[in-house]
């Protein structure tokens, strides 16, 4: 079952004209900003993601709770290394792009939760799915519950410039936060929190997880300079390394040769990088792949965890489960149909599928 809706500032008015005012479901109701019950917040957002329909009330959040969530999770994120070392079983999620139904469906399909396993997320929590902000809020609250078992990497959608292009301020307004001072404060704290996310994770010393990939500077300098970067202010060279980790694109075919300044790498360059650093493979996100994953070349696995991306594609959503040196893809597909192109159809807001 699929539900389509657009969220804009008209959501703040009495759409039904019945004088009852806007309809909201306050997901932070009863939460104390000074002592947030993160388990309750996670549960509230999960239930919203699971049960939302186009006729349901809009999600609402207290700005005070959100600011404290960002501030507290920012302090926790700062304690993670720039390249987080993970031991034991791990489940790696690709980009979510705000598709909350994909997030909770894949978590359910893995049948394993922290602290039994480490969850690694390859960035791009924000996006045009129906849960534009809720995926990020959910994962930050989850991080507070299991600091060492939830690894949040910084994707290109978590860059400040991307938040401006995505018009995140309007999304905040749409969550019942109407005063400009509160909107600005929430956005400021959100940007600072995302800036503290790590660049990569290294699973069992052999599997490098990063949103983008090894751009030219990273290939030249190697992993050590990236590992040695500390959280906080960075030099120009460090900023370029971090940008490559988030933004780099894998050139799959010759049609991608003109990247307009975007950092990139070829399959052969990835193979050489893995050989040089004694890596088994690189697991990354950043690009849409029909099957939910793309293993090309054999040292690179590209994941996407947003099913039927932007409603115009018919791609699977997938995660990678790593345990005892072996990897297993878990994926699902919501619907069949002809795949469309972003060049032909301007995407609307994402849908919610109740599972």
């Amino acid at each position: 079952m699929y539900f389509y809706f657009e969220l804009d500032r008209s959501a703040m008015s009495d759409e039904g004209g019945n004088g009852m005012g806007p309809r909201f479901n306050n997901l932070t109701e009863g939460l104390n900003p000074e002592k947030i019950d993160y388990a309750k917040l996670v549960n509230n957002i999960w239930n919203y993601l699971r049960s939302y329909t186009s006729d349901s009330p809009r999600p609402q959040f207290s700005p005070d709770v959100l600011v404290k969530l960002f501030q507290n999770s920012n302090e926790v994120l700062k304690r993670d290394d720039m390249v987080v070392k993970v031991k034991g079983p791990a489940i790696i999620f690709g980009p979510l792009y705000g598709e909350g139904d994909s997030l909770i469906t894949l978590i359910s399909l893995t049948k394993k939760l922290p602290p039994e396993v480490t969850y690694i997320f390859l960035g791009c929590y924000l996006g045009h799915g129906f849960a534009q902000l809720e995926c990020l809020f959910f994962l930050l609250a989850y991080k507070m519950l299991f600091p060492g078992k939830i690894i949040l990497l910084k994707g290109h959608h978590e860059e400040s410039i991307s938040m401006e292009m995505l018009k995140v301020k309007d999304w905040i307004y749409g969550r019942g936060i109407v005063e400009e001072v509160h909107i600005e404060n929430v956005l400021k704290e959100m940007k600072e929190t995302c800036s503290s996310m790590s660049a990569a994770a290294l699973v069992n010393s052999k599997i490098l997880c990063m949103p983008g990939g090894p751009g030219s500077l990273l290939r030249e300098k190697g992993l050590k300079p990236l590992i040695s970067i500390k959280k906080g202010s960075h030099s120009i060279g460090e900023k370029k390394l971090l940008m490559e980790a988030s933004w780099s694109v894998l050139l799959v075919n010759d049609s991608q040769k003109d990247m307009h300044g975007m950092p990139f790498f070829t399959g052969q360059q990835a193979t050489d990088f893995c050989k040089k650093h004694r890596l088994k493979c690189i697991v990354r996100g950043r690009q849409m792949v029909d099957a939910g994953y793309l293993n090309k070349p054999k040292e690179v696995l590209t994941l996407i965890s947003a099913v039927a991306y932007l409603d115009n594609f018919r791609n699977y959503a997938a995660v990678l489960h790593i345990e005892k040196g072996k990897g297993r893809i878990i994926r699902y597909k919501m619907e069949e149909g002809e795949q469309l192109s972003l060049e032909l159809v301007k995407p609307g807001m994402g849908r919610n599928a109740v599972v």
Side-chain angles (χ1 to χ4, degrees), residues 288 309-313 340-348:
M288 207 290 288
Y309 179 53
L310 291 174
D311 289 343
N312 293 317
F313 293 91
L340 303 180
S341 168
L342 288 175
E343 296 178 358
L344 300 176
V345 180
K346 183 178 179 181

Side-chain angles (χ1 to χ4, degrees), residues 62-166:
S62 160
D64 293 336
V65 172
L66 287 183
V67 166
K68 279 298 181 180
L69 171 64
F70 288 132
Q71 291 176 343
N72 295 342
S73 57
N74 189 15
E75 291 303 314
V76 172
L77 288 165
K78 287 178 181 178
R79 298 173 199 156
D80 288 342
D81 293 332
M82 192 58 76
V83 178
V84 183
K85 294 179 181 178
V86 176
K87 292 183 179 180
I91 296 175
I92 305 168
F93 293 73
L96 294 165
Y97 300 118
E99 294 194 4
D101 50 335
S102 295
L103 172 61
I104 64 172
T105 299
L106 288 169
I107 288 177
S108 299
L109 290 174
T110 65
K111 298 180 181 178
K112 290 197 174 183
L113 300 172
E116 180 184 1
V117 65
T118 301
Y119 280 180
I120 301 171
F121 292 87
L122 298 177
C124 289
Y125 318 108
L126 303 170
H128 286 292
F130 80 98
Q132 300 154 310
L133 298 171
E134 285 71 26
C135 289
L136 176 62
F137 298 166
F138 176 90
L139 291 174
L140 290 175
Y142 213 2
K143 175 76 172 175
M144 295 303 296
L145 289 175
F146 303 101
K149 293 294 184 176
I150 301 292
I151 308 302
L152 302 180
L153 305 184
K154 183 183 179 184
H156 65 286
H157 274 203
E158 284 68 61
E159 297 281 359
S160 293
I161 188 172
S162 296
M163 292 188 198
E164 298 297 333
M165 294 176 64
L166 289 168

